[in-house]
Amino acid sequence: MQKKAVGILLALFFLLQGTWAIEIKKVEPAFWWAGMKNTELQIMIYGQDIANSDISITSGTAKIKEIVRLENKNYLLLYLDVANAKPEVFDIVLTQGKKKKSIAYEIKERTTDPAERIGFNAGDVLYLIMPDRFSNGDTDNDVIKGMRETKVDRGNPSARHGGDFKGLSNHLDYITDLGATAVWLNPVLENDMEHGSYHGYATTDYYNVDRRFGTNEEFIQLIEKAHGKGLKVVMDMIFNHCGSSHFFFTDYPSSDWFNFPDKYIQTSYKTSAQYDKYVSKKDSDKAIDGWFVESMPDLNQRNRHVKKYLIQNSIWWIEYAKLDGIRQDTHPYADFDAMSDWCKEVLNEYPDFNIVGETWLGNNVGISYWQKDSKLSYPKNSYLPSVMDFPLMDIMVSAFDEETTDWGQGFSKVHDYLTQDIVYPDPMNLLIFLDNHDTSRFNKNEKDAKNSSRYKQALAFLLTTRGIAELYYGSEILMYADKANGDGGLRADFPGGWIGDPTNAFTASERTKEQNEIFEYTKKLLNWRKGNQVIAKGTLKHFVPVNGVYIYERSYNGKTVVVILNGSNQEKTLETKDFREILVGKKKDIISDTQIDLEANTLVINARGAYILE
Ligand code: CA
């Protein structure tokens, strides 16, 4: 009898303990490192009614600096002074009367030197991949029970298709063989959204990758493997907004965590408001604080806790995953000063790192405003090292079709645009591209894809002019797509990425003759470009296009590369004496592997032809 009574009492005790226990759902970041330059660590603790807890830590080296209780009782922000923190595991202890909860927290030892995070630069070619659409290496993770999007459907361009880290890992050799030196992955963080989760731009967890791609550990392994093959990895981040299924949105920490929290206002997408001298408050608020779309609520980076959370998040990923760069989504849609602080903090921890902001504006004046040290933004400074050259993309999309005239068409547009590089503080740190996941592919339709000289010439230019080149996956096998047919189609599956695909374009023998021609051409130029200091660091000198021909020289340390492009549908004969400033001696044409005598009086260039001479 007595034994039974004790048992009942014990059961009752555990039951009550359970009822009374302090329940913690999230601790972010889950761990940190000793010896970081920024000495303040924000730890966000999320759990039912925890805000009234008393809080203490058992660390001998980290000190509590500030405890912040937000409007929402489910959040506690603990700010620690980690200036003298040593690697250790300590307890964060929450107590509410007799209730007590200990959270083990680790300050880790740093395993790499921050100087090893050297970023990407003009010596690199970034191969942009949408992870859901490249290769499915593990069908077991296609659907994860409990996540909101409940199926894969390759027949639906807007559904998940099942690509993952395993698939990427299986094909890293394909990317290095092609000659790219870096991969930029569209977002990999969790997107537990009901629809459209495949593209990854509605983050629902800033500290965990989407389980349909794999685990955080598998992401780290993928990056280690890529590094082992000499490939850098650029991570896509989104600080302007999160997904509406994020716990920040389903359980607001405070009424100022988001912009326009009460009534949905969509951004005007007119981010010129950031630098428009004449902007009205209404237009500025709408552009910067309006939401990107209804499923992507706009984070208020002016709230110091939000800003700190986001800054720490990217530092955590750089340190944890040993990233080589960040691509920041919708950069001009967020608060200028907060994004500036973010860049400053990241570059303070990793001085040689690189960040490129998605500055999708229609002109170089607007884009240059966003580049670090811009005179146009002075006395403000974005501290954003790299910006995206969207106007050059717009020009390239038509320039390679047009008959070059002395004014306004074809390469005259290219030349004229480059003459305006004075607006950019650092033109070599512009990301340049023919297309990306949000635009029509450069080869928009079958007709374009069949016009190999157009794409070959565009590649010859892209890979030899100033800037960091980006190639969108599948361009090398002539994948084509028109944005008019929807975004999903711009992100088609790479053929052969799925078991049972009718053809496997990862393998030369299964590519068409035309695909192999472009693949081999791309491979030749990329491998020539790899490690080429003249392209990575060289100055640029160009000539006004004459008779449809555009000529320029890259030069570095006594070495030169001369590029000659025929922007016309007719064969042209160049009078070499007009270009003696750069046309001297005999040079090897990289494209045809032949010697070209520049001392001869004339040089014939095929219609839409290109020479890359060194
Ligand atoms: Ca999968």
Side-chain angles (χ1 to χ4, degrees), residues 460-481:
F461 172 70
L462 182 80
L463 298 173
T464 55
T465 190
R466 92 297 191 257
I468 307 156
E470 171 249 291
L471 288 182
Y472 189 37
Y473 79 96
S475 303
E476 71 281 5
I477 54 155
L478 295 172
M479 285 171 71
Y480 57 85

PDB file of all heavy atoms in Angstrom, residues 460-481:
ATOM      1  N   ALA A 460      32.172  35.866 -74.613  1.00  0.00           N
ATOM      2  CA  ALA A 460      33.522  36.412 -74.800  1.00  0.00           C
ATOM      3  C   ALA A 460      33.624  37.787 -74.147  1.00  0.00           C
ATOM      4  O   ALA A 460      34.616  38.113 -73.494  1.00  0.00           O
ATOM      5  CB  ALA A 460      33.858  36.499 -76.288  1.00  0.00           C
ATOM      6  N   PHE A 461      32.572  38.579 -74.294  1.00  0.00           N
ATOM      7  CA  PHE A 461      32.565  39.911 -73.675  1.00  0.00           C
ATOM      8  C   PHE A 461      32.430  39.802 -72.152  1.00  0.00           C
ATOM      9  O   PHE A 461      33.232  40.375 -71.408  1.00  0.00           O
ATOM     10  CB  PHE A 461      31.421  40.748 -74.253  1.00  0.00           C
ATOM     11  CG  PHE A 461      31.229  42.058 -73.539  1.00  0.00           C
ATOM     12  CD1 PHE A 461      32.164  43.078 -73.667  1.00  0.00           C
ATOM     13  CD2 PHE A 461      30.134  42.259 -72.704  1.00  0.00           C
ATOM     14  CE1 PHE A 461      32.015  44.281 -72.984  1.00  0.00           C
ATOM     15  CE2 PHE A 461      29.974  43.461 -72.019  1.00  0.00           C
ATOM     16  CZ  PHE A 461      30.919  44.470 -72.159  1.00  0.00           C
ATOM     17  N   LEU A 462      31.428  39.063 -71.711  1.00  0.00           N
ATOM     18  CA  LEU A 462      31.154  38.951 -70.266  1.00  0.00           C
ATOM     19  C   LEU A 462      32.390  38.493 -69.485  1.00  0.00           C
ATOM     20  O   LEU A 462      32.657  38.982 -68.390  1.00  0.00           O
ATOM     21  CB  LEU A 462      30.000  37.962 -70.025  1.00  0.00           C
ATOM     22  CG  LEU A 462      29.575  37.789 -68.571  1.00  0.00           C
ATOM     23  CD1 LEU A 462      28.675  38.946 -68.137  1.00  0.00           C
ATOM     24  CD2 LEU A 462      28.846  36.466 -68.342  1.00  0.00           C
ATOM     25  N   LEU A 463      33.124  37.571 -70.061  1.00  0.00           N
ATOM     26  CA  LEU A 463      34.240  36.974 -69.329  1.00  0.00           C
ATOM     27  C   LEU A 463      35.554  37.747 -69.457  1.00  0.00           C
ATOM     28  O   LEU A 463      36.558  37.364 -68.875  1.00  0.00           O
ATOM     29  CB  LEU A 463      34.435  35.515 -69.787  1.00  0.00           C
ATOM     30  CG  LEU A 463      33.227  34.608 -69.498  1.00  0.00           C
ATOM     31  CD1 LEU A 463      33.418  33.238 -70.124  1.00  0.00           C
ATOM     32  CD2 LEU A 463      32.956  34.484 -67.997  1.00  0.00           C
ATOM     33  N   THR A 464      35.535  38.848 -70.242  1.00  0.00           N
ATOM     34  CA  THR A 464      36.780  39.612 -70.387  1.00  0.00           C
ATOM     35  C   THR A 464      36.649  41.092 -70.017  1.00  0.00           C
ATOM     36  O   THR A 464      37.661  41.782 -69.917  1.00  0.00           O
ATOM     37  CB  THR A 464      37.312  39.534 -71.844  1.00  0.00           C
ATOM     38  OG1 THR A 464      36.268  39.968 -72.724  1.00  0.00           O
ATOM     39  CG2 THR A 464      37.755  38.133 -72.207  1.00  0.00           C
ATOM     40  N   THR A 465      35.423  41.596 -69.849  1.00  0.00           N
ATOM     41  CA  THR A 465      35.299  42.996 -69.462  1.00  0.00           C
ATOM     42  C   THR A 465      35.472  43.118 -67.935  1.00  0.00           C
ATOM     43  O   THR A 465      35.730  42.109 -67.256  1.00  0.00           O
ATOM     44  CB  THR A 465      33.944  43.591 -69.930  1.00  0.00           C
ATOM     45  OG1 THR A 465      33.978  45.011 -69.729  1.00  0.00           O
ATOM     46  CG2 THR A 465      32.769  42.996 -69.172  1.00  0.00           C
ATOM     47  N   ARG A 466      35.323  44.327 -67.399  1.00  0.00           N
ATOM     48  CA  ARG A 466      35.535  44.494 -65.952  1.00  0.00           C
ATOM     49  C   ARG A 466      34.394  43.863 -65.156  1.00  0.00           C
ATOM     50  O   ARG A 466      33.251  43.822 -65.598  1.00  0.00           O
ATOM     51  CB  ARG A 466      35.709  45.981 -65.603  1.00  0.00           C
ATOM     52  CG  ARG A 466      34.480  46.787 -65.207  1.00  0.00           C
ATOM     53  CD  ARG A 466      33.438  46.898 -66.292  1.00  0.00           C
ATOM     54  NE  ARG A 466      32.382  47.866 -66.021  1.00  0.00           N
ATOM     55  CZ  ARG A 466      31.150  47.526 -65.616  1.00  0.00           C
ATOM     56  NH1 ARG A 466      30.824  46.288 -65.385  1.00  0.00           N
ATOM     57  NH2 ARG A 466      30.244  48.480 -65.453  1.00  0.00           N
ATOM     58  N   GLY A 467      34.725  43.378 -63.961  1.00  0.00           N
ATOM     59  CA  GLY A 467      33.688  42.874 -63.073  1.00  0.00           C
ATOM     60  C   GLY A 467      33.807  41.391 -62.758  1.00  0.00           C
ATOM     61  O   GLY A 467      34.656  40.683 -63.296  1.00  0.00           O
ATOM     62  N   ILE A 468      32.920  40.974 -61.843  1.00  0.00           N
ATOM     63  CA  ILE A 468      32.852  39.575 -61.403  1.00  0.00           C
ATOM     64  C   ILE A 468      31.743  38.929 -62.225  1.00  0.00           C
ATOM     65  O   ILE A 468      30.603  39.406 -62.202  1.00  0.00           O
ATOM     66  CB  ILE A 468      32.455  39.501 -59.914  1.00  0.00           C
ATOM     67  CG1 ILE A 468      33.367  40.374 -59.050  1.00  0.00           C
ATOM     68  CG2 ILE A 468      32.432  38.060 -59.435  1.00  0.00           C
ATOM     69  CD1 ILE A 468      32.733  40.827 -57.733  1.00  0.00           C
ATOM     70  N   ALA A 469      32.067  37.879 -62.954  1.00  0.00           N
ATOM     71  CA  ALA A 469      31.053  37.296 -63.840  1.00  0.00           C
ATOM     72  C   ALA A 469      30.188  36.268 -63.113  1.00  0.00           C
ATOM     73  O   ALA A 469      30.665  35.525 -62.255  1.00  0.00           O
ATOM     74  CB  ALA A 469      31.727  36.658 -65.044  1.00  0.00           C
ATOM     75  N   GLU A 470      28.916  36.267 -63.475  1.00  0.00           N
ATOM     76  CA  GLU A 470      27.995  35.239 -62.970  1.00  0.00           C
ATOM     77  C   GLU A 470      27.366  34.545 -64.161  1.00  0.00           C
ATOM     78  O   GLU A 470      26.998  35.179 -65.150  1.00  0.00           O
ATOM     79  CB  GLU A 470      26.908  35.904 -62.115  1.00  0.00           C
ATOM     80  CG  GLU A 470      25.771  34.981 -61.702  1.00  0.00           C
ATOM     81  CD  GLU A 470      24.451  35.330 -62.390  1.00  0.00           C
ATOM     82  OE1 GLU A 470      23.874  36.382 -62.102  1.00  0.00           O
ATOM     83  OE2 GLU A 470      24.011  34.534 -63.261  1.00  0.00           O
ATOM     84  N   LEU A 471      27.291  33.219 -64.083  1.00  0.00           N
ATOM     85  CA  LEU A 471      26.611  32.415 -65.113  1.00  0.00           C
ATOM     86  C   LEU A 471      25.457  31.685 -64.450  1.00  0.00           C
ATOM     87  O   LEU A 471      25.616  31.126 -63.367  1.00  0.00           O
ATOM     88  CB  LEU A 471      27.555  31.362 -65.693  1.00  0.00           C
ATOM     89  CG  LEU A 471      28.695  31.781 -66.613  1.00  0.00           C
ATOM     90  CD1 LEU A 471      29.437  30.526 -67.073  1.00  0.00           C
ATOM     91  CD2 LEU A 471      28.172  32.550 -67.820  1.00  0.00           C
ATOM     92  N   TYR A 472      24.327  31.685 -65.112  1.00  0.00           N
ATOM     93  CA  TYR A 472      23.156  31.000 -64.563  1.00  0.00           C
ATOM     94  C   TYR A 472      23.169  29.535 -65.019  1.00  0.00           C
ATOM     95  O   TYR A 472      23.379  29.270 -66.210  1.00  0.00           O
ATOM     96  CB  TYR A 472      21.897  31.728 -65.043  1.00  0.00           C
ATOM     97  CG  TYR A 472      20.603  31.292 -64.395  1.00  0.00           C
ATOM     98  CD1 TYR A 472      20.557  30.942 -63.045  1.00  0.00           C
ATOM     99  CD2 TYR A 472      19.428  31.243 -65.134  1.00  0.00           C
ATOM    100  CE1 TYR A 472      19.363  30.560 -62.456  1.00  0.00           C
ATOM    101  CE2 TYR A 472      18.226  30.868 -64.548  1.00  0.00           C
ATOM    102  CZ  TYR A 472      18.200  30.522 -63.212  1.00  0.00           C
ATOM    103  OH  TYR A 472      17.012  30.143 -62.634  1.00  0.00           O
ATOM    104  N   TYR A 473      22.949  28.628 -64.074  1.00  0.00           N
ATOM    105  CA  TYR A 473      23.049  27.190 -64.380  1.00  0.00           C
ATOM    106  C   TYR A 473      22.242  26.840 -65.639  1.00  0.00           C
ATOM    107  O   TYR A 473      21.158  27.374 -65.867  1.00  0.00           O
ATOM    108  CB  TYR A 473      22.560  26.345 -63.188  1.00  0.00           C
ATOM    109  CG  TYR A 473      21.040  26.240 -63.067  1.00  0.00           C
ATOM    110  CD1 TYR A 473      20.337  25.145 -63.602  1.00  0.00           C
ATOM    111  CD2 TYR A 473      20.307  27.239 -62.460  1.00  0.00           C
ATOM    112  CE1 TYR A 473      18.955  25.068 -63.520  1.00  0.00           C
ATOM    113  CE2 TYR A 473      18.928  27.173 -62.368  1.00  0.00           C
ATOM    114  CZ  TYR A 473      18.251  26.087 -62.905  1.00  0.00           C
ATOM    115  OH  TYR A 473      16.877  26.011 -62.832  1.00  0.00           O
ATOM    116  N   GLY A 474      22.810  25.955 -66.433  1.00  0.00           N
ATOM    117  CA  GLY A 474      22.099  25.485 -67.623  1.00  0.00           C
ATOM    118  C   GLY A 474      22.359  26.306 -68.868  1.00  0.00           C
ATOM    119  O   GLY A 474      22.031  25.860 -69.969  1.00  0.00           O
ATOM    120  N   SER A 475      22.949  27.505 -68.700  1.00  0.00           N
ATOM    121  CA  SER A 475      23.256  28.313 -69.887  1.00  0.00           C
ATOM    122  C   SER A 475      24.221  27.553 -70.788  1.00  0.00           C
ATOM    123  O   SER A 475      24.140  27.653 -72.014  1.00  0.00           O
ATOM    124  CB  SER A 475      23.902  29.638 -69.482  1.00  0.00           C
ATOM    125  OG  SER A 475      23.066  30.342 -68.614  1.00  0.00           O
ATOM    126  N   GLU A 476      25.112  26.793 -70.142  1.00  0.00           N
ATOM    127  CA  GLU A 476      26.147  26.076 -70.901  1.00  0.00           C
ATOM    128  C   GLU A 476      25.579  24.909 -71.699  1.00  0.00           C
ATOM    129  O   GLU A 476      26.275  24.319 -72.518  1.00  0.00           O
ATOM    130  CB  GLU A 476      27.254  25.600 -69.928  1.00  0.00           C
ATOM    131  CG  GLU A 476      26.877  24.457 -68.982  1.00  0.00           C
ATOM    132  CD  GLU A 476      26.043  24.880 -67.774  1.00  0.00           C
ATOM    133  OE1 GLU A 476      25.662  26.057 -67.696  1.00  0.00           O
ATOM    134  OE2 GLU A 476      25.772  24.018 -66.925  1.00  0.00           O
ATOM    135  N   ILE A 477      24.325  24.541 -71.431  1.00  0.00           N
ATOM    136  CA  ILE A 477      23.693  23.496 -72.252  1.00  0.00           C
ATOM    137  C   ILE A 477      22.490  24.077 -72.992  1.00  0.00           C
ATOM    138  O   ILE A 477      21.561  23.371 -73.360  1.00  0.00           O
ATOM    139  CB  ILE A 477      23.293  22.260 -71.418  1.00  0.00           C
ATOM    140  CG1 ILE A 477      22.417  22.667 -70.227  1.00  0.00           C
ATOM    141  CG2 ILE A 477      24.526  21.491 -70.955  1.00  0.00           C
ATOM    142  CD1 ILE A 477      21.521  21.561 -69.719  1.00  0.00           C
ATOM    143  N   LEU A 478      22.518  25.414 -73.160  1.00  0.00           N
ATOM    144  CA  LEU A 478      21.518  26.115 -73.976  1.00  0.00           C
ATOM    145  C   LEU A 478      20.090  26.029 -73.441  1.00  0.00           C
ATOM    146  O   LEU A 478      19.134  26.034 -74.222  1.00  0.00           O
ATOM    147  CB  LEU A 478      21.570  25.608 -75.429  1.00  0.00           C
ATOM    148  CG  LEU A 478      22.865  25.918 -76.172  1.00  0.00           C
ATOM    149  CD1 LEU A 478      22.902  25.202 -77.520  1.00  0.00           C
ATOM    150  CD2 LEU A 478      22.994  27.424 -76.387  1.00  0.00           C
ATOM    151  N   MET A 479      19.933  25.953 -72.135  1.00  0.00           N
ATOM    152  CA  MET A 479      18.574  26.047 -71.585  1.00  0.00           C
ATOM    153  C   MET A 479      18.059  27.448 -71.914  1.00  0.00           C
ATOM    154  O   MET A 479      18.791  28.419 -71.812  1.00  0.00           O
ATOM    155  CB  MET A 479      18.592  25.811 -70.068  1.00  0.00           C
ATOM    156  CG  MET A 479      18.783  24.339 -69.700  1.00  0.00           C
ATOM    157  SD  MET A 479      19.072  24.026 -67.935  1.00  0.00           S
ATOM    158  CE  MET A 479      17.485  24.376 -67.204  1.00  0.00           C
ATOM    159  N   TYR A 480      16.832  27.538 -72.356  1.00  0.00           N
ATOM    160  CA  TYR A 480      16.273  28.841 -72.692  1.00  0.00           C
ATOM    161  C   TYR A 480      14.946  29.047 -71.970  1.00  0.00           C
ATOM    162  O   TYR A 480      14.256  28.072 -71.631  1.00  0.00           O
ATOM    163  CB  TYR A 480      16.127  29.019 -74.204  1.00  0.00           C
ATOM    164  CG  TYR A 480      15.284  27.979 -74.911  1.00  0.00           C
ATOM    165  CD1 TYR A 480      13.901  28.116 -74.988  1.00  0.00           C
ATOM    166  CD2 TYR A 480      15.887  26.867 -75.515  1.00  0.00           C
ATOM    167  CE1 TYR A 480      13.128  27.164 -75.638  1.00  0.00           C
ATOM    168  CE2 TYR A 480      15.119  25.914 -76.165  1.00  0.00           C
ATOM    169  CZ  TYR A 480      13.740  26.063 -76.229  1.00  0.00           C
ATOM    170  OH  TYR A 480      12.986  25.121 -76.861  1.00  0.00           O
ATOM    171  N   ALA A 481      14.594  30.310 -71.683  1.00  0.00           N
ATOM    172  CA  ALA A 481      13.342  30.592 -70.979  1.00  0.00           C
ATOM    173  C   ALA A 481      12.995  32.067 -71.096  1.00  0.00           C
ATOM    174  O   ALA A 481      13.871  32.929 -71.129  1.00  0.00           O
ATOM    175  CB  ALA A 481      13.471  30.214 -69.505  1.00  0.00           C
TER     176      ALA A 481
END
